Amino acid sequence: MTLEEKVGQMTQVTLQVVSKTRGAWGQKHEIDLEKLRAAIVKYHVGSILNVYDMALTLDEWQALITQIQDIATKETNLGIPVIYGIDAIHGANYVMEATLFPQSIALAATRNPALVKKSAEITAYEIRAAGIPWNFNPVLGVGRNQLWPRLWETFGEDPYLVSMMGEAYIQGIEGSPNSIGDMDKTAACMKHFIGYTVPLSGKDRTPAWIPERMLRDYFLPPFRKAVEAGVHTVMVNSGEINGIPVHGDHYLLTEVLKNELGFQGFVVSDWADVNNLYTRDKVSASPEAAVKLAVMAGIDMSMVPYDFSFYDILVKLVQDGEVPVARIDDAVSRILRVKFALNLFEKPYPNRKMAAKVGSQESARTSLQAAREALTLLKNENGFLPLKKGLSILVTGPNANLRSVLNGGWTYTWQGNEEAVYPKEKKTILEALQDKIGPGNVVYVAGSEHEQAVNIKAAADAAKRVDVAVVCIGEAPYCETPGNIHDLTLPQAQSDLVAAIQKTGTPVVLVLVEGRPRIITPLVDDAQAILLAYLPGPEGGRAIADVLYGDYNPSGKLPYTYPRYPNDLTNYDHKPIEMDDPGRRNPLWEFGHGLSYTTFVYDDLTIDLKEMSLDKSLNISVNVVNSGDRAGKVVVELYLSDLVRSISPPNKQLKRFTGVPLKPGESKTIQFTLDQTDLSFHNRANEFVAEPGEFKITIGNLTETFTLVAGKE
Ligand code: BGC
């Protein structure tokens, strides 16, 4: 390969670069073959990404990818196929006909890795059917700041939960064992490495300060697990940690990711972030210095994305001896290995036969099941829910009759807010409730928009004439930086709506549809029931109706700590110094909270060793019984507390979980095993160790203690 061909492989541009300008909104996308030729033949570009401005149909994708691969494989000397990349964040959300799923934060609430894997399998199939072999997902950042607008793209605040869901997702996308050469699998792209999820300000792409020990204890584990699961690509954190933009951080990208974790795949930058080292971050004095810094730090492919500047600069840097050819060879080998593994050289084109199964009824059922399992019942005073079908209800609130709000960002468009493009056959909450109990029993009044009152008085008047008011509040769709807010408090118009209805005395059920926990504290006491739906996807309306009427017994568990106050954003695995007293830390609901319509009772928590040494595993068993009169799924969670150690220990940490369906009266014994890794943390010297001493295991309301004794290592 010539130097130019190699650097071209490292260059990624966005679809706009090779498109004719689109006229009016909704006008058909058109590729510009001359621009495409320039990109692929002249600049040897190895990768293209994204949509122009909205999802394409399957046919459009297949035609587009065919045109791209025709030029790449037939009109270039080497015939290397292009690797097209897409954000398929909750299903193939840029393929019009595809199956969409709940967003990751909702999937995390299911505590069901098997369901995550299944949704990822469907996603892989549906993007590969479009001809796209590469998915910029899963997000493996641990979402520990509730204000951050990308919280809903994460699997929540706990490193173990994120690790397990991330591993399941990668297995689903890439196959298990990884078989990305199969036409129904794609390469996954874990992102954003590393520490993107905890900006100090809570705003997107703002600085994080993360000491080495915290980086290793909280943020590295999901990425480590994903590398072990064989993930083929990684995207880098667009922000900075401790003052160093991650795109220019040799320590993190090369020493930790590639050398220490042994990551063999390739590293792609995030959007414009190589050049951002110069334009935004001010760590490089010129675009040339930025490219050199990023490539030498370990970036293998630059998401440029609007021009060929990276290509021009890097070719020159190598010619001038500023970047060694060996670094280029390493980067290109990594990229080509993935292209070979994807079988792109043998099969660069979409397989037209796959189209028939895209967006199937069966896949929609998986999405519905995921939405049902995600829904988290936060409050249910005196068993107010489930509702009886004969009652009359008022449905109101900004999220009652929109499809976009159930899906959020990354849906058909980047921001997900083009209501008109949402397929009409998927139900809004209002429509699903009308289907459930008949339109005659349902009154609808808008009440308020997200930020503005519409007819609050009319809604309150209507509430007086019904048995129950179902008020659907929360957030409008958003994605990335446009989702920044200054305050988590629910907008005034919405709390005014809820308060006005509560004043009528008619019982209120709050349905929260939101990407992050908005503060609803003043509304909680006077709500009979509160159901958190997160961003449940296109089947969310139906799932909510199923849960409100008891056709599905809720089992979702909070994947984050739900704050009571906007300035009390903490996580469940807090330190002893933050003891749970109202003056220090006082969340509304803790991570792991979630009610059921039945009751579960734990007993007989036993451990097989009271004294454990590091060469041993600890076996734990517990019995759980459904003591109520409805079938339901219980999520059994095992928490571990290290009672004393040299680094102040977290109050408790999730170490295992499993979902168990139980019929009324049925019981089951659950077994878990812990080993040395589960007991370990990074000490003052940043060594990963378990220190002798007492540990506590908590499952439900039961606890057991054991002692780790010094001895054989
Ligand atoms: C986001 C990434 C995404 C990329 C490509 C960036 O702005 O941070 O998560 O994969 O765009 O669309």
Side-chain angles (χ1 to χ4, degrees):
M1 288 173 84
T2 63
L3 173 62
E4 288 75 9
E5 285 164 341
K6 290 176 188 172
V7 172
Q9 286 301 313
M10 298 170 66
T11 305
Q12 186 186 53
V13 295
T14 188
L15 183 58
Q16 266 159 305
V17 172
V18 296
S19 299
K20 291 187 177 160
T21 315
R22 201 186 267 244
W25 171 259
Q27 188 183 313
K28 222 170 148 49
H29 172 260
E30 256 186 282
I31 194 102
D32 183 325
L33 285 177
E34 281 324 300
K35 288 186 189 167
L36 184 62
R37 243 175 222 117
I40 294 177
V41 182
K42 182 164 169 222
Y43 291 99
H44 314 286
V45 159
S47 181
I48 303 178
L49 85 151
N50 213 2
V51 287
Y52 191 98
D53 52 14
M54 69 174 278
L56 302 179
T57 65
L58 206 55
D59 281 349
E60 287 170 333
W61 274 119
Q62 292 187 342
L64 174 66
I65 301 292
T66 302
Q67 283 171 313
I68 292 171
Q69 301 298 35
D70 269 346
I71 292 180
T73 61
K74 296 180 188 153
E75 297 186 26
T76 61
N77 284 343
L78 298 172
I80 301 173
V82 161
I83 180 169
Y84 202 103
I86 201 81
D87 294 281
I89 303 298
H90 66 129
N93 43 249
Y94 282 147
V95 177
M96 271 320 296
E97 302 89 336
T99 312
L100 303 189
F101 292 95
Q103 298 282 6
S104 295
I105 198 69
L107 292 179
T110 69
R111 301 292 199 269
N112 187 344
L115 201 49
V116 170
K117 183 175 172 196
K118 199 164 169 199
S119 77
E121 280 167 358
I122 295 167
T123 305
Y125 179 95
E126 297 195 349
I127 60 173
R128 198 79 191 239
I132 303 172
W134 185 20
N135 182 9
F136 302 137
N137 210 34
V139 170
L140 297 185
V142 183
R144 293 174 71 82
N145 185 325
Q146 293 92 335
L147 184 64
W148 187 53
R150 305 191 73 171
L151 180 78
W152 51 265
E153 292 180 61
T154 76
F155 290 116
E157 75 182 33
D158 178 73
Y160 178 75
L161 178 59
V162 176
S163 301
M164 298 314 287
M165 294 310 208
E167 179 188 44
Y169 189 91
I170 290 162
Q171 289 171 347
I173 288 284
E174 294 207 348
S176 166
N178 310 55
S179 54
I180 62 173
D182 293 351
M183 283 307 273
D184 60 350
K185 295 286 180 272
T186 71
C189 183
M190 60 176 179
K191 67 187 190 186
H192 307 79
F193 187 82
I194 186 178
Y196 182 34
T197 48
V198 279
L200 284 171
S201 70
K203 307 283 172 61
D204 189 32
R205 290 176 163 87
T206 59
W209 294 3
I210 311 176
E212 178 83 15
R213 177 181 318 111
M214 299 313 184
L215 191 89
R216 289 180 175 277
D217 273 350
Y218 293 89
F219 301 103
L220 200 55
F223 291 103
R224 185 189 295 278
K225 186 77 158 180
V227 172
E228 285 164 11
V231 67
H232 277 82
T233 73
V234 61
M235 190 186 294
V236 177
N237 168 8
S238 190
E240 60 171 69
I241 305 177
N242 307 334
I244 303 175
V246 182
H247 282 76
D249 195 335
H250 181 269
Y251 172 67
L252 288 177
L253 298 184
T254 297
E255 290 172 47
V256 175
L257 175 65
K258 290 180 178 175
N259 297 348
E260 187 185 322
L261 300 193
F263 173 67
Q264 299 286 322
F266 72 84
V267 177
V268 65
S269 82
D270 201 345
W271 193 266
D273 281 326
V274 173
N275 201 36
N276 277 342
L277 296 172
Y278 162 63
T279 55
R280 183 190 65 189
D281 302 324
K282 311 294 179 198
V283 294
S284 301
S286 64
E288 290 73 19
V291 171
K292 181 175 172 182
L293 180 64
V295 171
M296 292 313 293
I299 298 286
D300 300 313
M301 181 185 281
S302 171
M303 189 186 287
V304 189
Y306 288 115
D307 57 35
F308 305 102
S309 53
F310 172 84
Y311 168 90
D312 289 330
I313 291 170
L314 187 53
V315 168
K316 178 123 194 332
L317 284 172
V318 180
Q319 285 165 345
D320 293 348
E322 294 284 326
V323 170
V325 176
R327 175 72 267 274
I328 304 295
D329 287 348
D330 172 49
V332 174
S333 314
R334 287 170 176 271
I335 294 165
L336 291 182
R337 271 204 301 269
V338 174
K339 290 191 176 185
F340 276 112
L342 280 165
N343 213 4
L344 282 183
F345 287 87
E346 295 295 316
K347 295 184 174 170
Y349 293 105
N351 176 353
R352 291 183 183 274
K353 289 197 201 115
M354 290 171 74
K357 260 180 69 185
V358 172
S360 70
Q361 285 302 313
E362 193 190 332
S363 302
R365 277 196 290 278
T366 302
S367 179
L368 174 62
Q369 186 58 18
R372 284 170 169 161
E373 292 193 26
L375 297 182
T376 304
L377 185 61
L378 297 175
K379 178 178 177 185
N380 194 19
E381 202 166 87
N382 303 322
F384 185 77
L385 293 179
L387 297 172
K388 295 200 177 50
K389 289 192 178 147
L391 299 175
S392 62
I393 63 170
L394 165 70
V395 180
T396 182
N399 287 346
N401 200 25
L402 293 174
R403 291 170 178 80
S404 56
V405 295
L406 299 169
N407 290 275
W410 300 122
T411 316
Y412 306 124
T413 64
W414 178 45
Q415 292 299 309
N417 53 5
E418 285 296 329
E419 185 69 23
V421 304
Y422 281 78
K424 299 285 174 290
E425 67 270 15
K426 301 298 178 191
K427 306 287 178 180
T428 66
I429 300 173
L430 171 67
E431 291 165 353
L433 289 170
Q434 287 168 331
D435 284 358
K436 181 70 76 186
I437 60 170
N441 285 323
V442 182
V443 180
Y444 170 67
V445 180
S448 86
E449 291 176 351
H450 290 101
E451 304 281 342
Q452 241 181 334
V454 177
N455 49 359
I456 292 182
K457 184 165 180 316
D461 288 345
K464 290 180 196 149
R465 296 190 290 271
V466 296
D467 300 314
V468 179
V470 177
V471 191
C472 306
I473 54 176
E475 297 192 310
Y478 56 86
C479 198
E480 299 190 49
T481 310
N484 279 347
I485 51 173
H486 304 295
D487 185 347
L488 269 178
T489 307
L490 188 73
Q492 190 66 44
Q494 298 190 53
S495 36
D496 286 350
L497 171 66
V498 178
I501 293 174
Q502 286 177 332
K503 240 173 117 186
T504 66
T506 299
V508 166
V509 176
L510 293 181
V511 177
L512 310 178
V513 181
E514 54 191 19
R516 64 197 141 188
R518 302 303 293 257
I519 308 292
I520 52 162
T521 310
L523 311 172
V524 171
D525 281 352
D526 288 336
Q528 271 60 37
I530 303 176
L531 182 66
L532 174 57
Y534 312 94
L535 300 174
E539 308 297 338
R542 285 176 63 191
I544 290 166
D546 287 346
V547 166
L548 292 183
Y549 285 93
D551 294 329
Y552 184 80
N553 186 355
S555 53
K557 297 282 173 199
L558 276 177
Y560 50 67
T561 302
Y562 206 112
R564 188 185 298 269
Y565 308 107
N567 287 340
D568 185 30
L569 305 184
T570 62
N571 303 118
Y572 84 95
D573 49 355
H574 61 86
K575 294 305 185 77
I577 199 170
E578 302 174 275
M579 284 307 288
D580 288 318
D581 85 59
R584 292 213 177 115
R585 173 181 184 277
N586 189 14
L588 200 47
W589 294 290
E590 205 65 90
F591 171 91
H593 174 71
L595 305 170
S596 167
Y597 295 150
T598 185
T599 44
F600 299 104
V601 175
Y602 294 95
D603 63 25
D604 211 11
L605 173 60
T606 54
I607 57 177
D608 67 343
L609 297 169
K610 279 303 256 184
E611 287 202 340
M612 179 188 173
S613 54
L614 286 180
D615 55 343
K616 296 251 167 52
S617 300
L618 183 74
N619 296 306
I620 301 122
S621 80
V622 70
N623 194 53
V624 57
V625 58
N626 180 347
S627 55
D629 54 10
R630 262 173 196 271
K633 184 179 92 170
V634 58
V635 175
V636 181
E637 295 193 322
L638 183 157
Y639 292 92
L640 182 71
S641 311
D642 188 349
L643 297 186
V644 176
R645 72 186 199 192
S646 58
I647 300 291
S648 170
N651 163 56
K652 60 177 186 175
Q653 289 181 302
L654 182 68
K655 293 294 176 184
R656 297 288 182 273
F657 61 85
T658 184
V660 188
L662 289 175
K663 297 193 192 75
E666 194 184 0
S667 71
K668 199 165 171 198
T669 302
I670 314 297
Q671 320 264 4
F672 296 113
T673 302
L674 297 182
D675 60 28
Q676 179 179 350
T677 314
D678 298 300
L679 274 53
S680 300
F681 67 100
H682 290 88
N683 67 10
R684 292 186 189 203
N686 286 332
E687 299 152 343
F688 193 56
V689 296
E691 290 177 353
E694 217 183 338
F695 289 77
K696 182 173 80 178
I697 283 171
T698 305
I699 300 180
N701 54 341
L702 306 178
T703 61
E704 262 295 338
T705 55
F706 66 94
T707 306
L708 178 67
V709 291
K712 256 194 1 207
E713 296 255 335

